[in-house]
Amino acid sequence: KAIINPVDANAIETALQLREKHGGRVTVLSMGVPAVQEQLRESLAMGADEAILLCDRAFAGADAYATALTIAAAIKKFCPFSLVLCGCETADSGTRMVGPMLAEFLDVPYATNVRAMSILGEEACLVEADLDGGCMKVELTLPALITVNRAVNEPRIPDVMGIIQVA
């Protein structure tokens, strides 16, 4: 059975926590086969405001570059944003390239492998990113893209009412 990529669940949780503290909307966007709708419903049950599935046979076998290019085009068309949050790596292939490529296609600053973050008003955020043998704190101007790791939080489990509402 397909599941939400574990670190993407951390990204969703981060977005939900930021919305609870600062307001805004959480839109979850995924590229995949029709069966991914089940995972998008799960993100709605967690509390996301909207979910978008990019699904087309033309996307079959997409590499990281094609995935990032496609998602960037969808974000530009459907999702005005201040902050894009992604998991730092994919569960299936372990690649860590989609987030940084996506930031380049969106022409925004980014930080990867983030374990903690805070919003500094409407124009910036402060992130703490894990490095080999240490960490680095960086202030990013918004809009920006951040890839999070599992240390950033513990994703919530959808409650019964959330599941019923999206069923």
Side-chain angles (χ1 to χ4, degrees):
K1 179 181 175 187
I3 62 167
I4 295 175
N5 183 40
V7 288
D8 287 341
N10 293 102
I12 294 167
E13 180 62 31
T14 301
L16 295 171
Q17 290 176 6
L18 289 170
R19 182 192 62 199
E20 289 164 1
K21 189 171 183 179
H22 302 283
R25 289 185 53 80
V26 174
T27 301
V28 177
L29 189 144
S30 185
M31 185 172 117
V33 297
V36 172
Q37 290 176 12
E38 183 177 334
Q39 285 71 46
L40 291 177
R41 279 192 291 278
E42 183 179 343
S43 70
L44 292 168
M46 288 174 72
D49 298 299
E50 179 180 27
I52 298 171
L53 175 61
L54 306 175
C55 181
D56 193 294
R57 288 179 189 250
F59 302 152
D63 62 7
Y65 180 88
T67 299
L69 186 63
T70 303
I71 292 173
I75 289 172
K76 288 176 183 177
K77 182 168 180 132
F78 301 115
C79 308
F81 68 94
S82 297
L83 187 60
V84 174
L85 295 161
C86 307
C88 66
E89 67 184 323
T90 58
D92 55 356
S93 63
T95 181
R96 293 177 169 240
M97 298 180 288
V98 173
M101 282 191 236
L102 182 54
E104 289 296 319
F105 291 134
L106 293 172
D107 194 28
V108 296
Y110 66 94
T112 62
N113 204 28
V114 169
R115 68 179 180 189
M117 66 169 294
S118 59
I119 301 294
L120 305 174
E122 293 182 15
E123 297 184 14
C125 64
L126 181 65
V127 301
E128 186 175 315
D130 283 331
L131 302 173
D132 290 335
C135 71
M136 173 176 66
K137 290 186 179 182
V138 178
E139 185 175 317
L140 297 174
T141 303
L142 297 175
L145 181 140
I146 295 170
T147 72
V148 300
N149 63 33
R150 289 184 187 202
V152 74
N153 58 38
E154 183 68 33
R156 66 189 70 187
I157 297 171
D159 61 21
V160 173
M161 288 307 297
I163 294 168
I164 290 170
Q165 288 175 348
V166 299

